Every structure is written in C-alpha cells, then in structure tokens.
Amino acid sequence: GAVVSQHPSRVICKSGTSVKIECRSLDFQATTMFWYRQFPKQSLMLMATSNEGSKATYEQGVEKDKFLINHASLTLSTLTVTSAHPEDSSFYICSARGHGQAWDSNQPQHFGDGTRLSIL
Amino acid sequence: DAKTTQPNSMESNEEEPVHLPCNHSTISGTDYIHWYRQLPSQGPEYVIHGLTSNVNNRMASLAIAEDRKSSTLILHRATLRDAAVYYCILRDLNSGAGSYQLTFGKGTKLSVIP
C-alpha cells in the first residue's frame, strides 16, 4: 500500500532553533499534503494544506510565518518551525493524498508516523 | 463543529468481537464514512470507509445503518495490537484549500484486556 515517510521521528532542541520536518510519499505522487499537530491527550488539529507548486493554505490561528511549508515536488513537503519555543513542543504529523483525489472524498488519506518535537 | 459523535472509551476482552459505534445524524447523501485508528505514538492509520453498503476488508467490517445516520466499526477478534483511538470521520470540503480534508474528533479509545 501507499507509504508516507516522515523524518525525523524525534527532535530535541534548544529554544530559538529552527527545525525542519520532511514528509515524503514513497510510492505515489502526492499532489496534496496536510500537516497536523497533536498535543498530549488531544486529537489531531489540521495546521495547513499544501498543494504541489502553490502556497499552503493555513487554518485559522496558525501563524504562516512561524510554520513554513514547502511542497516543491510531488513526493516531498517540508514543515519548518522557525524560532521554536517550548510551547511549540508537540507531535507533528503529515498526511498525503494522491493525484486527482483532491475533490474525491472516496479516497483514503495516508499518514506518516509523526515527529515528536521537544523544545527545551 | 463535530459532525460525528463517538463514545470516549470502550473496553474489550482479547479475541472477542468489538463493535465501535458512531453517530452522524447530519450526514449528506454524498458523504463517505471513514474510519481511522491511531496507535500510541504513531500517525493515524486508515481502517475502512463506505457510503451505503456494508464493507469488509482484512482489518475490519463497517456496518452502515439504512438511514446512514449511524455506523458501526466491527473488529471481529480483538487483539492487543488493536488497542488504539478509533476515529469516525466524515470528510469536510475545504473550499479555501481546494480539497477535502479529514477533521478529527476525539474518537473512541479502545482498550483490549488480555
């Protein structure tokens, strides 16, 4: 089946550091990728949707200058948390959907295994 | 606003069937019912989805009520590896982003007792 690879799986860094998380679709072309954030004991919250070759659409309350999303190819999207602070510590999860499926609700979405970000 | 409602938690004995309910009384005629699960410290995993007819796959079965206002995910024989949070989701159309998206509710935390 379709596989989404997310890297790194865990990051621990100092406050003020910028952190980049990669999300790759390994066996399909992902025209749409989604970035979620999950705090402990809470559900996933959608941060942004990115379509290959265009700017990401951010959900309300998500700072686009802080969470930079690049989706430059059909198999790779990156999320950069700029100048991270302890309150940015969370579990970040990417998801991807294949070509031609944006308007088709009859298609599953494939998820990465997540990146646990800890800011000291 | 939540479009589905699920019990917060359920328990099952190992190797027994589990029925996870979901209510979606405001479902529209074109909404597919999707189920995902999330094991601890992992991303969500697709389980099953359906529109009107009951569906079966290697992981589970999905029973959809005739009026489509509720559905039940059935795990035929629960194992310890099935302990997870199960999410019942109707896709939202995000016109701003130009695509359907998954909006996760709180789901049902399934505990499997050995």
Side-chain angles (χ1 to χ4, degrees):
Chain A
V3 177
V4 174
S5 174
Q6 193 171 338
H7 179 79
S9 58
R10 188 176 185 99
V11 180
I12 302 173
C13 57
K14 294 180 179 178
S15 183
T17 307
S18 291
V19 179
K20 180 185 283 188
I21 302 169
E22 292 188 348
C23 180
R24 295 181 184 272
S25 56
L26 297 185
D27 56 356
F28 67 102
Q29 292 185 329
T31 50
T32 305
M33 285 189 170
F34 306 87
W35 287 95
Y36 294 82
R37 179 168 54 182
Q38 185 176 32
F39 291 109
K41 298 191 185 302
Q42 295 187 22
S43 190
L44 284 78
M45 295 297 295
L46 180 66
M47 298 175 67
T49 302
S50 73
N51 293 302
E52 184 268 336
S54 62
K55 289 183 179 180
T57 302
Y58 290 80
E59 296 300 300
Q60 192 172 6
V62 178
E63 299 175 56
K64 58 183 66 176
D65 293 332
K66 180 165 188 64
F67 299 99
L68 302 179
I69 292 172
N70 183 287
H71 190 172
S73 80
L74 285 171
T75 59
L76 174 64
S77 176
T78 60
L79 167 68
T80 301
V81 183
T82 62
S83 187
H85 292 285
E87 58 265 30
D88 298 321
S89 298
S90 188
F91 192 48
Y92 291 86
I93 305 166
C94 74
S95 178
R97 195 164 56 211
H99 179 69
Q101 297 173 357
W103 293 99
D104 185 356
S105 72
N106 183 24
Q107 294 294 334
Q109 218 165 285
H110 309 291
F111 288 83
D113 281 337
T115 297
R116 189 161 301 282
L117 176 62
S118 300
I119 307 298
L120 305 178
Chain B
D1 292 338
K3 296 173 68 174
T4 64
T5 55
Q6 299 176 252
N8 289 333
S9 63
M10 291 184 65
E11 276 188 357
S12 172
N13 293 319
E14 196 177 8
E15 299 193 0
E16 290 189 357
V18 183
H19 291 233
L20 298 165
C22 179
N23 288 320
H24 28 77
S25 58
T26 60
I27 191 171
S28 74
T30 56
D31 279 338
Y32 280 83
I33 303 157
H34 293 256
W35 283 81
Y36 287 76
R37 72 179 186 181
Q38 186 177 22
L39 279 65
S41 298
Q42 293 188 26
E45 174 188 27
Y46 167 77
V47 178
I48 201 167
H49 75 288
L51 182 63
T52 55
S53 303
N54 294 343
V55 185
N56 299 295
N57 66 20
R58 64 175 181 80
M59 289 182 69
S61 295
L62 177 60
I64 302 173
E66 197 170 332
D67 63 6
R68 301 207 330 122
K69 293 186 177 181
S70 65
S71 62
T72 302
L73 179 70
I74 302 166
L75 307 179
H76 295 286
R77 287 185 63 197
T79 70
L80 296 178
R81 289 175 295 177
D82 291 322
V85 178
Y86 287 79
Y87 298 97
C88 168
I89 304 172
L90 307 181
R91 284 196 164 176
D92 288 324
L93 176 58
N94 186 334
S95 55
S99 74
Y100 280 96
Q101 66 187 37
L102 293 174
T103 300
F104 287 80
K106 295 183 178 180
T108 296
K109 183 175 183 179
L110 175 66
S111 300
V112 180
I113 303 168

